[in-house]
């Protein structure tokens, strides 16, 4: 430091802090690092205090984040391990340990006993190879082949003395080694027959076994074991902080040598509670987001040297740059969740969550059906129908739930629901139960009328019965109120949007119900393999509205992230949820969004056709016992209740009227038969009547010529039907 009064330079520590440029200052020199250290620990960029830092006080000690990856050895508070291991500490543990060891030994013995003939054949083969190899080694040993290079070198150097000396040495060595081999051959030739003739059988067997084993060991390649292990220990890649940092830096999510670009950890590296993987909280550099980590998931997996299906990234609500990384030891989605617990065939309660499957960590996943509508989408043969059927089976085992099952695909998977369903329709081809499209339309009309009636009656119930004006469990199960919980299943529902004119009314009803019905206790479970939509015009718009108004969404494997977003809802891909990344080999595996705060990847429980039949048979018995079997399952002729459309249309013609326009027919039907035609439009009634061969012709009324039907054509169609 230079002082202007004497132009001399003194060390800083000699300055008394009194005069600077002739100005007296009352101050003292302060060691800033020491002062900051006294104030508390500092957050450093790359190391301890003294390097580049931020003046931010940290917690005194990190918070525990679970069990350490490398668990400490079992020891007491004083650090001493027990003298007697815990498995031998008492009689109960000793018996359990012996039982486990005996069971493992018995299993191994049985495993190898079954394969012993194969072991014998392999041992004999490799022993033969070993005998040839041993003979070759001994011949090379006798011939002193390793000296050939030295003699060749002497010849190349034109050194006859060295060559002769080497030659004499090799002749002497060959003579001595030849004598050794002769003695060996005589010993084997004499001892073998003597052992065979004089030794007991067990000694002979042991000697032959030892010889064969030794020769097989010589002849067998190192990568071709004769005896395979009965128990294979699980092997998985160990994950540690260094490997994680390497992966994140390789994925471009930070830089180890740039300021403020280091990746850090928000928790201790830990094993998760299930013991199937390792997890840690990651803090990305400032400016990097959770979305960046999601997009780099494949690169992170590559950096960790594991499969993408083993890497799971979960959002941390406390910061958009923080997330939890979980790395599974093995692919957690490759193993099924097992059979459905519904096989116990016990009565269920629709007011309780339905068991659905297991998440990637083996935790049970359940779905609340009440007050929800559920959309399930996937490519064909990925388990979409099985997932929807699992929820429907749970509802079927509650005898107080009224079921409506409508399958646009007509697959066998739903046929057995005829045992319990109030209404059902399978496929689109005409059946003895009637036209499936008409049954669907009538069922939806009836459900809409029921929903509207429920809201009206719930609003009039006293507060002590209906405290919040909503359906309660007691009201739903009390037959005097006639408001049971209803479950409507629509599989391959896209088919109902592509039926021509009748689809307009079906689409309108579905949009209304999916928006309004769940709050009245009418649950929708809808499945499709065409979430992108069908048809055009108003029906296509209503399809999108119907699809987008589901609260809970489950997407099994789809063809692209765009289709995944259609099923899971807009923005799912940006949050890291893309069902197109699921492997084709995953059956019944999908992403569940909207059922809870978490969005797990779920392996659904399996209920095959035999399981479903067993469950539905039990469900029918429960309904018969409770007196709640109704509709088509009880043998009621719903097709007749769906009205005779031709007769109803003919009845609205007044005397002398030879033709009516479709608008007038729809209006008269709604006025005279509101319970069946309250929502009928001109287009829908036209489609229904024309399906019987009635022509749509111009009918002039009040000076306007619009399409309609002639009375004679309707009479002809009625007569034709009777004649058939």
């Amino acid at each position: 430091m230079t002082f202007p009064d004497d132009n001399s330079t003194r060390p800083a520590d000699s300055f008394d802090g009194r005069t600077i440029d002739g100005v007296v200052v009352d101050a003292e020199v302060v060691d800033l690092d020491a002062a900051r250290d006294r104030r508390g620990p500092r957050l450093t960029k790359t190391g301890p205090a003294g390097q580049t830092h931020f003046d931010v006080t940290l917690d005194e000690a990190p918070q525990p984040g679970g069990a350490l990856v490398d668990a400490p050895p079992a020891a007491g508070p004083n650090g001493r391990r027990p003298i007697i291991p815990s498995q031998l500490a008492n009689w109960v543990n000793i018996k359990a340990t012996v039982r486990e060891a005996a069971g493992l030994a018995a299993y191994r013995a049985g495993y190898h006993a079954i394969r012993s003939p194969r072991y014998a054949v392999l041992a004999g083969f490799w022993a033969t190879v070993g005998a040839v190899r041993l003979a070759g080694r001994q011949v090379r040993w006798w011939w002193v082949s390793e000296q050939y290079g030295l003699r060749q070198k002497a010849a190349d150097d034109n050194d006859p003395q060295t060559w002769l000396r080497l030659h004499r040495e090799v002749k002497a060595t060959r003579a001595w080694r030849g004598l050794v081999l002769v003695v060996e051959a005589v010993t084997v030739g004499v001892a073998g027959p003597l052992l065979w003739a004089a030794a007991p059988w067990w000694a002979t067997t042991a000697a032959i076994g030892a010889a064969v084993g030794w020769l097989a060991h010589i002849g067998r390649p190192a990568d071709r074991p004769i005896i395979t292990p009965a128990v294979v220990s699980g092997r998985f890649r160990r994950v540690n902080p260094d490997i994680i940092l390497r992966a994140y830096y390789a994925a471009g999510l930070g830089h180890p040598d740039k300021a403020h670009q280091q990746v850090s950890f928000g928790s201790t590296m830990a094993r998760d509670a299930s013991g199937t993987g390792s997890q840690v909280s990651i803090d990305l550099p400032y400016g990097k987001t959770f979305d960046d980590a999601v997009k780099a998931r494949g690169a992170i997996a590559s950096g960790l040297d594991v499969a993408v299906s083993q890497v799971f990234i979960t959002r941390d609500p406390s910061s958009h740059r923080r997330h939890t990384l979980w790395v599974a030891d093995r692919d957690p989605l490759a193993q099924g969740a097992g059979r459905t617990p519904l096989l116990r065939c016990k009565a269920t309660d629709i007011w309780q969550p339905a068991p659905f499957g297991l998440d990637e960590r083996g935790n049970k996943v359940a779905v609340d059906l009440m007050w929800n509508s559920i959309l399930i989408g996937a490519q064909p043969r990925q388990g979409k129908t099985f997932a929807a059927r699992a929820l429907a089976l749970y509802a079927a085992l509650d005898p107080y739930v009224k079921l409506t099952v409508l399958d646009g695909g007509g697959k066998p998977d739903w046929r057995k629901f005829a045992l319990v369903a109030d209404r059902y329709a399978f496929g689109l081809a005409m059946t003895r139960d009637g036209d499936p499209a008409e049954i669907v339309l009538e069922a939806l009309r009836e459900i809409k009328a029921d929903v509207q009636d429920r809201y009206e009656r719930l609003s009039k119930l006293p507060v002590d019965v209906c405290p919040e004006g909503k359906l309660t469990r007691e009201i739903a199960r009390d037959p005097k109120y006639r408001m049971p919980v209803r479950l409507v299943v629509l599989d391959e529902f896209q088919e109902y949007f592509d039926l021509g004119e009748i689809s307009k009314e079906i689409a309108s009803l579905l949009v209304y119900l999916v928006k309004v019905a769940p709050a009245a206790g009418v649950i929708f479970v809808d499945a499709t393999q065409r979430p992108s939509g069908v048809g055009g015009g108003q029906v296509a718009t209503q399809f999108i509205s119907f699809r987008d108004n589901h609260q809970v969404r489950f997407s099994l494997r789809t063809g692209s992230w765009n289709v995944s977003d259609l099923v899971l809802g807009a923005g799912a891909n940006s949050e890291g949820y893309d069902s197109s990344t699921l492997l084709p080999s995953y059956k019944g595996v999908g992403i569940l969004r909207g059922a809870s705060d978490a969005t797990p990847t779920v392996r659904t429980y399996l209920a095959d056709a035999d399981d479903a039949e067993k469950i539905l048979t039990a469900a029918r018995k429960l309904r018969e016992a409770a007196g709640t079997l109704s509709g088509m399952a009880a043998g009621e002729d719903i097709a007749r209740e769906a009205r005779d459309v031709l007769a109803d249309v003919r009845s609205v013609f007044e005397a002398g009227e030879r033709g009516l326009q479709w608008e007038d027919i729809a209006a008269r039907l709604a006025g005279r038969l509101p319970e069946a035609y309250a929502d009928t439009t001109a287009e829908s009634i036209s489609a229904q009547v024309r399906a019987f061969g009635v022509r749509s012709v111009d009918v002039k009324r009040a000076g306007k010529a619009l399409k309609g039907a002639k009375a004679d054509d309707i009479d002809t169609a009625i007569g034709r039907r009777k004649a058939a």
Side-chain angles (χ1 to χ4, degrees):
M1 184 178 295
T2 302
F3 297 87
D5 54 343
D6 58 1
N7 293 324
S8 63
T9 301
R10 293 185 296 173
D13 57 4
S14 66
F15 175 52
D16 58 4
R18 296 293 179 179
T19 304
I20 298 179
D21 291 339
V23 179
V24 178
V25 180
D26 185 13
E28 62 179 355
V29 176
V30 176
D31 187 339
L32 293 179
D33 286 338
R36 285 167 177 155
D37 288 340
R38 287 194 299 271
R39 192 165 64 228
R42 289 171 289 147
L43 177 63
T44 63
K45 181 184 73 172
T46 57
Q51 300 179 10
T52 304
H53 61 81
F54 308 99
D55 291 327
V56 178
T57 303
L58 298 180
D59 296 333
E60 294 183 359
Q63 297 297 319
L68 298 177
V69 175
D70 296 320
N78 58 1
R80 297 180 179 179
R81 296 185 182 183
I83 297 175
I84 300 177
S86 58
Q87 59 266 34
L88 302 176
N90 54 60
W91 182 240
V92 175
N93 287 7
I94 291 174
K95 289 194 295 184
T97 302
V98 171
R99 189 183 309 113
E100 181 179 358
L104 180 59
Y107 171 78
R108 285 174 170 166
Y111 179 91
H112 294 305
I114 292 295
R115 290 160 179 78
S116 56
R118 176 176 177 270
Y119 296 160
V121 172
L122 288 176
F125 172 77
W126 290 121
T128 304
V129 175
V132 174
R133 286 184 177 178
L134 181 61
R137 290 178 186 177
Q138 291 192 324
V139 168
R140 287 191 297 273
W141 174 74
W142 164 62
W143 196 249
V144 198
S145 57
E146 65 271 16
Q147 200 203 57
Y148 174 80
L150 296 175
R151 286 183 281 121
Q152 183 63 45
K153 180 67 168 57
D156 294 339
D157 294 342
N158 197 21
D159 186 357
Q161 293 182 353
T162 302
W163 188 91
L164 289 172
R165 179 169 55 81
L166 292 173
H167 182 65
R168 287 193 295 269
E169 288 179 358
V170 77
K171 287 179 64 177
T173 304
R174 287 174 180 170
W176 163 249
R177 292 185 178 182
L179 180 61
V180 171
L181 292 180
V182 170
V183 172
E184 176 188 312
V186 171
T187 301
V188 172
V190 173
L194 289 176
L195 178 67
W196 180 268
W201 67 268
W202 55 266
T204 304
T205 303
I208 294 175
V212 170
W214 180 56
L215 290 173
H217 175 72
I218 295 174
R220 178 186 63 83
D223 61 341
R224 300 285 295 275
I226 295 175
I227 299 177
T228 56
V231 179
V232 180
S233 300
R235 300 183 65 186
F236 54 87
R237 183 169 299 281
R238 182 180 294 276
V239 179
N240 58 41
D242 290 337
I243 293 177
I244 291 177
L245 290 177
R246 179 192 68 186
Y248 273 73
Y249 290 141
L253 295 174
H255 196 285
D257 301 323
K258 291 184 178 180
H260 316 318
Q261 288 297 308
Q262 287 80 24
V263 175
S264 57
F265 298 95
S267 70
T268 306
M269 190 74 194
R271 296 289 289 175
D272 69 333
S274 65
T276 58
S278 302
Q279 66 181 21
V280 68
S281 179
I282 302 291
D283 287 337
L284 296 175
Y286 293 102
K288 294 293 184 179
T289 66
F290 171 77
D291 299 332
D292 296 326
V294 169
K295 293 175 182 177
R297 179 168 169 251
I300 293 172
S302 174
L304 295 171
D305 198 16
V306 298
V308 176
S309 57
Q310 293 175 247
V311 178
F312 295 86
I313 298 174
T314 307
R315 183 189 299 274
D316 189 317
S318 65
S319 174
H320 194 47
R321 72 183 184 96
R322 182 175 298 117
H323 62 267
T324 299
L325 171 70
W326 182 65
V327 183
D329 299 337
R330 304 176 184 84
D331 185 351
L333 305 178
Q335 296 182 350
R339 295 282 175 176
T340 174
L342 299 178
L343 283 171
R344 291 191 293 265
C345 296
K346 302 295 183 182
T348 59
D349 187 350
I350 197 68
W351 295 84
Q352 300 297 321
F356 196 49
L358 303 177
D359 68 8
E360 56 269 18
R361 301 196 184 190
N363 301 315
K364 293 181 179 180
V365 177
V367 177
D368 283 312
L369 296 177
M370 284 302 302
W371 322 119
N372 282 322
S373 54
I374 302 170
L375 175 66
I376 301 175
Q379 289 181 325
R381 293 172 295 281
Q382 290 298 318
K384 171 183 78 280
T385 298
F386 274 44
R389 189 171 65 180
L391 298 176
L393 290 172
Y394 179 82
L397 283 172
D398 185 340
Y400 299 97
V401 175
K402 194 173 183 179
L403 287 172
T404 300
V405 179
L406 309 173
D407 174 23
K411 301 184 292 291
D413 306 274
W414 296 101
R415 300 282 176 169
K416 289 299 179 180
F417 275 83
L419 293 170
V420 295
D422 179 75
R423 296 198 182 192
Y424 55 80
F426 307 126
L428 299 174
M430 186 70 70
T431 68
R432 58 186 177 186
D433 293 317
D435 183 357
E438 291 291 341
I439 295 175
V440 170
L441 180 61
E442 180 58 28
L444 296 178
R445 287 173 178 167
E446 186 271 330
I447 294 171
K448 178 180 179 180
D450 182 32
V451 168
Q452 293 173 332
D453 182 59
R454 288 185 183 208
Y455 281 125
E456 178 72 20
R457 288 188 288 138
L458 286 171
S459 64
K460 295 179 180 179
L461 290 176
V463 177
D464 58 332
V465 176
C466 188
E468 299 178 1
K470 295 176 63 176
L471 186 69
T472 65
R473 186 176 186 275
E474 291 71 24
I475 295 174
R477 295 201 167 197
D478 193 334
K480 72 179 181 181
Y481 293 111
R482 295 177 290 106
M483 286 188 280
V485 174
R486 304 187 68 158
L487 181 89
V488 181
V489 179
L490 288 164
D491 193 12
E492 305 295 358
F493 64 78
Q494 75 276 359
E495 299 295 336
Y496 298 124
F497 287 81
D498 197 22
L499 297 176
E501 289 295 326
I502 196 173
S503 291
K504 294 181 179 180
E505 186 176 357
I506 291 177
S508 177
L509 288 168
L510 286 175
V511 171
Y512 172 85
L513 290 172
V514 79
K515 292 179 178 179
V516 176
V522 180
I523 306 161
F524 272 77
V525 177
D526 307 314
T528 181
Q529 60 179 282
R530 287 288 303 276
S532 57
V534 295
Q538 182 182 1
V539 172
T541 303
Q542 289 174 322
F543 181 98
I544 296 172
S545 179
F546 175 72
R547 180 197 67 204
D548 292 346
N549 275 281
H550 290 79
Q551 293 90 350
V552 179
R553 294 156 178 274
F554 184 62
S555 179
L556 298 95
R557 185 173 188 270
T558 54
S560 67
W561 71 265
N562 310 76
V563 180
S564 174
D565 259 21
L566 294 178
V567 180
L568 293 176
N573 182 65
S574 63
E575 295 179 11
Y577 306 116
D578 180 6
S579 60
S580 68
T581 61
L582 298 173
L583 299 180
S585 58
Y586 296 160
K587 304 299 182 183
V589 176
I591 300 172
L592 180 64
R593 188 173 187 232
S596 64
D597 293 338
T599 304
T601 302
V602 181
R603 297 166 284 158
T604 55
Y605 291 124
L606 173 64
D608 60 20
D610 293 336
D611 296 338
E613 182 175 3
K614 177 182 177 181
I615 293 169
L616 290 170
T617 301
R620 182 180 179 91
K621 293 179 180 178
L622 290 172
R623 290 168 183 268
E624 290 173 343
T628 55
L629 195 66
S630 64
M632 298 174 75
E636 298 176 14
D637 192 351
I638 301 298
R640 291 297 181 185
E641 292 182 2
R643 310 292 304 179
D644 185 338
V645 176
L646 287 177
D648 290 341
V649 170
R650 186 65 181 87
S651 69
V652 300
F653 280 77
E654 302 291 347
E657 289 183 328
R658 303 187 60 82
L660 282 176
Q661 297 174 352
W662 295 121
E663 291 182 354
D664 293 334
I665 293 174
R668 291 185 184 184
L669 287 172
R672 297 182 185 181
L673 300 168
E675 71 281 359
Y677 300 103
D679 300 304
T680 298
T681 63
E683 291 80 6
S684 64
I685 195 63
S686 170
Q688 294 178 59
V689 174
R690 286 188 289 110
F692 291 97
V694 176
R695 297 176 302 157
S696 180
V697 298
D698 290 333
V699 177
K700 191 172 183 180
R701 187 176 181 86
K704 294 175 62 177
L706 298 174
K707 292 294 183 181
K710 296 289 188 180
D712 292 343
D713 291 342
I714 295 174
D715 291 337
T716 301
I718 293 174
R720 186 166 54 244
R721 187 178 61 185
K722 290 180 178 179

